[in-house]
Amino acid sequence: MSSDHNNLPYHIPALLSQTMQALDIQPDGIYVDVTFGGGGHSRAIVERLGPEGHLYSFDQDRDAVVRAFSDERFTIIHGNFRFLSNFLRFYDVKGRIDGLLADLGVSFHHFDDPERGFSFRADGPLDMRMNRTAQLTAADLLNGASEDKLSAVLRDYGELKQARRMARAIVAARSSRRLETTSHLLEAVAPYIDPRQEKKELAMVFQALRIEVNGELDALNSLLVQSLESLKPGGRLAIITYHSLEDRLVKNFMKTGSFSGERQTDFYGRDLSPMKLLTTKPIVPDAEETALNPRSRSAKLRVAVKLNDQTDG
């Protein structure tokens, strides 16, 4: 991946060639990448566009936006993808999109910068905000939420068996001092981490808090609904997920148009699903990619095509 003045390996894009193939880039098409990150996927899309094609990329993190490359076929938008429809309406392309991509992974930049607090591997402030102008930090959550709330977050978003005990330990720890750093959090939950699965379980604790702080699943639900309004019939939706909570939502929505996964049918029993999955199983990285980029090993790409609007008959 080419590097600009300050664009060091910010993020190695997962499943790059598979994603480009899945989107089936048309030179004169209009595309959206709602997760610009390090720009790897966006750059690859722009390289495949002709002079009439255009890519709109979103990122809520100013660190990513200031690193964006410059190209006449490219527009960078500093915003959360939950506002997708508003921005596409502003640029007069809503309903005209040929392909939309979301790579829901956290950038290397986020994991590797201790000041952001996304990783248990280095001590740093309990921040975890993707958008640093947002109000709620992980420290606010850990010091302010009830035991029940913390338990639910750890159970539902981290799928941790010891969620209740961890929550109780966090509440006990904060009674003697405010939890401010990742090491404060690690001290509190350490007794309830299985030493045989230490890295995995700590990653799940941090994942759970990150999802809650950033409202990630609500944002994903909102994105999926808006993607249908944004794509034109025949347009493609490609989403890369990294954990089962996201993947389940994406799979259900692509299969049925609902988050529950229940098929909608009309009076005659005809399927009303607004999309069609292109592959029954998710596309995953091969051994070569996971060797080069170990963080891609949990990546799953699902792709669907928007069908003709039901009103078209």
Side-chain angles (χ1 to χ4, degrees), residues 104-239:
L104 301 174
V106 179
S107 286
F108 292 5
H109 166 74
H110 286 144
F111 275 132
D112 296 341
D113 180 356
E115 288 302 306
R116 303 299 294 265
F118 284 99
S119 174
F120 58 86
R121 295 172 195 277
D123 196 23
L126 283 164
D127 191 325
M128 300 195 197
R129 292 170 300 169
M130 299 281 196
N131 174 3
R132 297 179 93 164
T133 62
Q135 293 283 299
L136 184 76
T137 66
D140 295 333
L141 175 67
L142 288 163
N143 290 288
S146 66
E147 183 185 312
D148 284 349
K149 171 70 173 176
L150 291 170
S151 177
V153 167
L154 293 167
R155 181 189 66 236
D156 297 344
Y157 299 157
E159 301 177 292
L160 288 148
K161 294 191 181 80
Q162 300 284 354
R164 172 62 67 179
R165 287 176 170 173
M166 287 178 183
R168 196 169 296 144
I170 289 165
V171 171
R174 77 189 190 196
S175 66
S176 56
R177 68 169 176 192
R178 183 175 161 84
L179 306 182
E180 295 281 9
T181 67
T182 52
S183 61
H184 290 170
L185 172 60
L186 295 178
E187 280 173 37
V189 300
Y192 305 106
I193 297 288
D194 182 344
R196 294 163 300 180
Q197 299 193 68
E198 185 181 30
K199 283 183 183 170
K200 183 181 178 187
E201 290 193 5
L202 287 175
M204 288 154 81
V205 169
F206 277 65
Q207 170 187 297
L209 297 172
R210 192 195 81 222
I211 289 172
E212 176 66 21
V213 166
N214 295 287
E216 289 178 30
L217 295 184
D218 286 343
L220 175 56
N221 284 1
S222 179
L223 170 67
L224 290 167
V225 170
Q226 292 178 72
S227 70
L228 267 185
E229 305 162 4
S230 305
L231 290 164
K232 67 185 191 187
R236 297 191 171 200
L237 178 63
I239 300 195

Side-chain angles (χ1 to χ4, degrees), residues 45 49 187:
I45 292 170
L49 294 176
E187 280 173 37

